[in-house]
């Protein structure tokens, strides 16, 4: 139970951090008005909402470090936020803490063609890195569907992927260095421009840690040479089984496309309603396949991919003839999440991973879940690496519909775990999936992970309450305990 004394202490801490922020930042960079604070009460997952006690919008890493030092001194929790497009509640504020918004730190400090590197601040929009590098013949490969609005800081926190991660990998494969603010407020350099740095891989620990280890204030990213040839093919199938079989056949043949994306009939219906992408009529599933590389290699791969799709039941294949046609094919896929709003007032975006060979079996199981529950599910996913994004549709105005959708959503994650997969591929755990972590990991596994967090953040002030269902107190002996966890008793955590 929170006492009057506790509330007084919290209020004094926030007041102290606010005073530091007012000395450092312009007036518009410190927000205390309750109405304006509510603007930041959630990220892209609006299901969870918390109004922060204070929002600060720093403009450089020295300001971030000073604010974090003030938080550490007064025991005030803080959460870093970029564009706020995350889908797991990873940037959900703390009611008694500070939200550190990095959206004004948007300088692209360097683009070094000779080293194939760029140095960017956390508020830089993902697609803007490619725009800056393209005149020199390069681009930034990780491409989340939200790449026109999501920021590099959030991509680093969540280890974001995208359609082209099949061939090029996730954010972690494209980050070589970072300027990092520890939970004590110290500024340290992790990695650098070189491909690998000696010593412990602290950079690897930070990328994908969802802001629980500190705040990245600049990132050195790897740039990729623009390919000589790109071919984008839209392929229609009667069923997801056929499309899944074609995907496996392509990978088994030794071909690694830049991307293989799948959408089922319900997702196609939504995309057509939203952006009129002109996908094949009557398709039960479509694949968007992109090949890139040397022209002679792409020509050979295209001929083989076309044959394998035909062998596995495709009834229509359409090769993009120019950049406009290619963009239209991708528009249907990249708009899919938002597009389902045309066919359902509410929906849950799920994110799980399964072995690619399990696609037909898992998709049939999802269809059975949908049929038995009466909850519609649209499937959109990175077929090449088995990263599923089922969209669970419901109407929250109907009593019990939200709960039914949550049950189906959870059952889909259980399917992923049962088939040797994961509860998240690129959206992160955040607040939304913390309760599923014990289904995937043992108590000993989770204790080991939390020892890493405690090494970075013994005060548990950096994005607390995320990833782990019951955060351990640093210094607490690992293992099972019979008594209630102290955070449970205080009403700050829940055991699942």
């Amino acid at each position: 139970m929170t006492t009057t004394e506790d509330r007084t202490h919290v209020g004094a801490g926030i007041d102290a951090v606010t005073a530091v922020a007012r000395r450092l930042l312009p007036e518009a960079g410190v927000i205390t008005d309750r109405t304006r604070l509510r603007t930041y009460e959630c990220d892209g997952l609006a299901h969870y909402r918390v109004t922060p006690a204070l929002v600060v919008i720093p403009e450089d890493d020295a300001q971030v470090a000073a604010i974090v030092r003030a938080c550490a001194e007064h025991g005030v929790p803080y959460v870093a936020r970029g564009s706020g497009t995350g889908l797991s509640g990873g940037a959900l504020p703390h009611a008694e803490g500070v939200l550190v918004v990095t959206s004004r730190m948007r300088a692209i400090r360097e683009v070094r063609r000779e080293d194939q590197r760029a140095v960017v601040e956390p508020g830089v929009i993902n697609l803007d890195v490619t725009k800056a590098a393209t005149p020199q013949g390069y681009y930034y490969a990780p491409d989340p569907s939200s790449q026109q609005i999501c920021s590099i800081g959030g991509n680093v926190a969540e280890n974001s992927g995208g359609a082209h991660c099949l061939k090029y990998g996730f954010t972690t494969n494209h980050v070589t260095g970072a300027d990092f603010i520890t939970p004590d407020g110290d500024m340290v350099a992790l990695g650098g421009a070189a491909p690998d740095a000696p010593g412990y891989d602290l950079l690897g620990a930070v990328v994908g840690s969802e802001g629980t280890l500190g705040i990245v204030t600049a990132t050195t990213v790897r740039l990729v040479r623009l390919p000589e040839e790109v071919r984008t093919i839209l392929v229609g199938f009667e069923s997801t089984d056929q499309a899944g079989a074609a995907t496996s056949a392509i990978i088994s043949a030794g071909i690694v496309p830049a991307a293989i994306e799948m959408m089922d009939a319900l997702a196609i219906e939504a995309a057509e309603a939203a952006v009129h992408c002109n996908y094949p009529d009557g398709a039960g599933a479509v694949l968007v396949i992109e090949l890139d590389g040397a022209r002679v290699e792409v020509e050979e791969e295209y001929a083989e991919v076309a044959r394998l799709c035909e062998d596995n039941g495709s009834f229509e294949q359409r090769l993009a003839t120019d950049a406009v046609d290619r963009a239209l094919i991708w528009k249907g896929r990249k708009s899919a999440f938002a597009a389902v709003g045309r066919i359902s007032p509410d929906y849950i975006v799920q994110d799980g991973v399964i072995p690619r060979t399990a696609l037909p079996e898992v998709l049939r199981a999802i269809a059975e879940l949908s049929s038995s529950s009466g909850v519609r599910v649209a499937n959109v996913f990175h077929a090449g690496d088995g990263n599923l994004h089922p969209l669970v549709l419901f109407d929250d105005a109907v009593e019990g519909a939200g709960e039914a959708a949550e049950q189906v959503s959870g059952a889909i994650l259980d399917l992923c775990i049962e088939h040797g997969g994961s509860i998240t591929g690129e959206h992160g755990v955040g607040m939304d999936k913390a309760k599923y972590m014990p289904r995937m990991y043992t108590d000993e596994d989770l204790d080991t992970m939390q020892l890493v967090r405690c090494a970075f953040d013994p005060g548990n002030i950096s994005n607390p309450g995320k990833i782990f269902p019951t955060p351990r107190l640093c210094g607490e002996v690992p293992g099972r305990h019979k008594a209630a966890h102290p955070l449970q008793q205080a009403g700050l955590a829940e055991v699942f």
Side-chain angles (χ1 to χ4, degrees):
M1 179 181 293
T2 303
T3 65
T4 302
E5 184 179 348
D6 292 332
R7 284 193 293 271
T8 301
H9 174 74
V10 168
I14 287 293
D15 288 346
V17 177
T18 302
V20 170
R22 291 197 190 283
R23 288 198 301 270
L24 293 170
L25 306 179
E27 185 178 352
V30 182
I31 299 173
T32 57
D33 176 72
R34 184 75 180 176
T35 302
R36 294 180 63 202
L37 289 172
R38 291 193 61 189
T39 305
Y40 298 92
E41 66 184 3
C42 68
D43 57 9
L45 184 65
H47 180 67
Y48 299 98
R49 296 175 183 270
V50 174
T51 303
L54 171 67
V55 170
V56 296
I57 312 176
E59 298 177 354
D60 59 43
D61 48 7
Q63 293 174 351
V64 175
I67 289 163
V68 171
R69 276 196 296 274
C71 288
E73 180 182 351
H74 299 282
V76 175
Y78 65 86
V79 177
R81 172 191 168 110
S83 294
T85 58
L87 293 170
S88 64
L92 187 73
H94 193 289
E96 298 173 346
V98 180
L99 190 68
V100 182
V101 179
T102 60
S103 57
R104 288 185 185 161
M105 299 176 64
R106 49 178 179 261
I108 297 177
R109 297 179 182 176
E110 294 182 83
V111 176
R112 300 203 300 269
R113 178 184 184 277
E114 63 279 8
D115 293 327
Q116 298 181 307
R117 297 289 185 271
V119 181
V120 303
E121 293 183 353
V124 171
I125 300 303
N126 175 292
L127 190 58
D128 287 347
V129 183
T130 287
K131 289 177 179 177
T134 295
Q136 300 186 41
Y138 288 84
Y139 74 106
Y140 181 61
D143 61 336
S145 294
S146 57
Q147 69 177 147
Q148 296 184 40
I149 53 173
C150 67
S151 60
I152 293 297
N155 291 173
V156 171
E158 302 294 343
N159 190 24
S160 301
H164 291 81
C165 63
L166 171 62
K167 182 173 182 177
Y168 293 103
F170 288 75
T171 298
T172 190
N173 304 111
H174 297 268
V175 172
T176 64
D179 292 346
F180 180 68
I181 308 298
T182 72
D184 290 330
D186 294 330
M187 291 190 283
V188 298
L190 305 176
D196 194 17
Y200 293 127
D201 184 15
L202 299 181
L203 180 64
V206 166
V207 177
S209 63
E210 304 190 27
T212 61
L213 304 183
I215 300 177
V216 170
T217 55
T219 306
T220 302
V221 299
R222 189 191 315 273
L223 300 176
V224 178
R225 184 74 181 172
L226 287 167
E228 181 183 17
E229 177 86 355
V230 178
R231 293 196 184 185
T232 305
I233 314 112
L234 177 66
V235 188
F237 296 87
E238 292 179 355
S239 69
T240 54
D241 276 7
Q242 291 175 331
T247 299
S248 291
I250 291 167
I251 303 296
S252 298
I255 298 169
V256 182
I260 307 183
E261 300 291 293
M262 190 190 298
M263 297 169 63
D264 70 4
L266 194 53
I268 295 168
E269 177 190 339
E272 289 291 351
V275 298
H276 311 292
C277 48
N278 194 30
Y279 282 0
D281 286 338
V286 295
L287 291 180
V288 177
I289 305 170
E290 189 153 281
L291 306 168
D292 69 4
R295 182 170 289 111
V296 63
E297 179 184 15
V298 171
E299 286 176 355
E300 290 182 4
E301 289 182 344
Y302 170 65
E304 182 69 0
V305 165
R307 182 187 67 79
L308 291 169
C309 287
E310 188 173 345
D311 288 350
N312 283 279
S314 70
F315 66 84
E316 182 177 336
Q317 297 188 28
R318 190 184 306 162
L319 177 65
T321 56
D322 54 31
V324 174
D325 199 17
R326 179 179 173 230
L328 183 60
I329 289 174
W330 275 112
K331 189 175 184 180
R333 165 60 186 90
K334 295 236 173 186
S335 69
F337 288 1
V340 296
R342 297 294 187 103
I343 61 173
S344 177
D346 301 286
Y347 59 94
I348 297 169
V349 179
Q350 196 46 278
D351 168 47
V353 183
I354 57 172
R356 186 179 57 253
T357 51
L359 273 173
E361 182 180 352
V362 171
L363 290 176
R364 283 195 292 272
I366 291 174
E368 289 168 7
L369 272 173
S370 175
S371 177
S372 62
S373 65
V375 176
R376 295 186 299 165
V377 180
N379 287 292
V380 182
F381 50 94
H382 311 309
D385 59 6
N387 187 187
L388 306 179
H389 293 308
L391 302 163
V392 184
L393 314 184
F394 65 101
D395 183 352
D396 209 25
V398 176
E399 186 176 353
E403 290 76 8
E406 288 279 2
Q407 287 181 353
V408 170
S409 181
I412 290 171
L413 291 183
D414 287 337
L415 283 172
C416 292
I417 296 169
E418 289 166 13
H419 286 81
S422 168
I423 61 173
T424 180
E426 55 187 350
H427 294 175
V429 177
M431 178 67 70
D432 188 43
K433 294 185 177 178
K435 63 186 176 184
Y436 295 105
M437 288 287 276
R439 302 188 193 182
M440 187 169 173
Y441 295 107
T442 66
D443 289 345
E444 290 75 18
D445 294 334
L446 294 173
D447 270 336
T448 302
M449 291 183 203
Q450 295 205 63
L451 286 172
V452 175
R453 178 186 66 78
C454 288
F456 277 80
D457 180 23
N460 191 29
I461 61 171
S462 186
N463 205 11
K466 310 296 169 55
I467 301 180
F468 303 105
T470 303
R472 86 193 323 272
L473 297 179
C474 298
E476 177 186 1
V477 178
R480 292 182 177 274
H481 303 277
K482 291 184 179 180
H485 192 285
L487 293 182
Q488 262 183 282
Q489 293 177 321
L492 300 175
E494 189 174 350
V495 174
F496 294 92

